[in-house]
Amino acid sequence: MGDLLFFSVGPRRGLRRGTRATDWYEQGCVLEATDVPAAMAAYTRALAGSPELADAHNNLGRLHHDRGELAAAEGCYRVAICCTAEVALYWFNLGVVVEDQGRQAEAIAAYERAIELEPAIADAHFNLARLYEVRARRAGSIDELMLRRAVRHLVRYRDLAKTRSTGR
């Protein structure tokens, strides 16, 4: 037998562990205030280690959205929803980004889903009231049904805003 079975490589060394995905996520959260590109890189690293980390997708989407990268933001929000579809914030953020792209019908559907999941999400009520009012007054005529929907969501928004300001 040759030297292939009997060789020495030195003393055994322990395994090195990489940084956990949740640690990268937490680092991204910290970096958002001071270094957005580094925060985005940290979220990307978190997702490389744990692709189902919905909050990282959502936060990365928000950073893309803030930079005006609407298609990238929309993609991130949609993946977050695929990972965890029962979080109202993800649906709300999707509504905002598709509305920013001029897709009002999709925005309405996303805001409505956010409200189904969390009825007290005031900003979704406000955005829905605004979109329904625009639809109600479209083309020079008044659509009573859309106007009633707008009023209902505006009243709900005001109630929630009042509750938030008084702390009750």
Side-chain angles (χ1 to χ4, degrees):
M1 262 198 219
D3 292 332
L4 290 176
L5 295 178
F6 302 102
F7 61 91
S8 175
V9 293
R12 182 168 185 261
R13 297 188 178 112
L15 296 175
R16 302 179 115 206
R17 300 203 187 281
T19 304
R20 294 179 311 165
T22 54
D23 292 339
W24 283 113
Y25 170 77
E26 289 170 7
Q27 184 178 359
C29 292
V30 170
L31 288 169
E32 279 190 35
T34 58
D35 190 352
V36 171
M40 292 176 84
Y43 290 137
T44 301
R45 295 283 303 267
L47 293 169
S50 185
E52 73 285 351
L53 194 56
D55 283 339
H57 286 290
N58 183 65
N59 289 3
L60 186 59
R62 188 175 30 76
L63 295 177
H64 280 298
H65 198 163
D66 289 345
R67 293 167 61 138
E69 300 163 352
L70 302 182
E74 180 182 349
C76 290
Y77 296 146
R78 288 189 184 279
V79 173
I81 289 168
C82 287
C83 293
T84 309
E86 303 303 312
V87 177
L89 177 63
Y90 304 160
W91 287 99
F92 176 78
N93 287 344
L94 178 63
V96 172
V97 78
V98 295
E99 183 181 354
D100 287 349
Q101 295 176 70
R103 296 175 4 227
Q104 291 182 348
E106 286 181 67
I108 288 171
Y111 293 141
E112 286 176 342
R113 181 66 180 136
I115 289 170
E116 284 175 26
L117 293 168
E118 187 179 323
I121 189 165
D123 292 335
H125 286 285
F126 180 83
N127 290 356
L128 267 176
R130 187 177 35 73
L131 288 174
Y132 280 140
E133 182 181 7
V134 167
R135 286 192 158 201
R137 299 181 189 281
R138 183 176 287 159
S141 64
I142 300 293
D143 181 336
E144 293 293 327
L145 176 63
M146 288 293 165
L147 200 54
R148 278 193 296 257
R149 287 179 180 173
V151 169
R152 180 173 46 107
H153 284 289
L154 186 59
V155 167
R156 183 69 176 132
Y157 166 75
R158 287 182 177 164
D159 290 344
L160 291 168
K162 187 183 343 176
T163 301
R164 191 176 6 178
S165 68
T166 61
R168 291 186 275 153

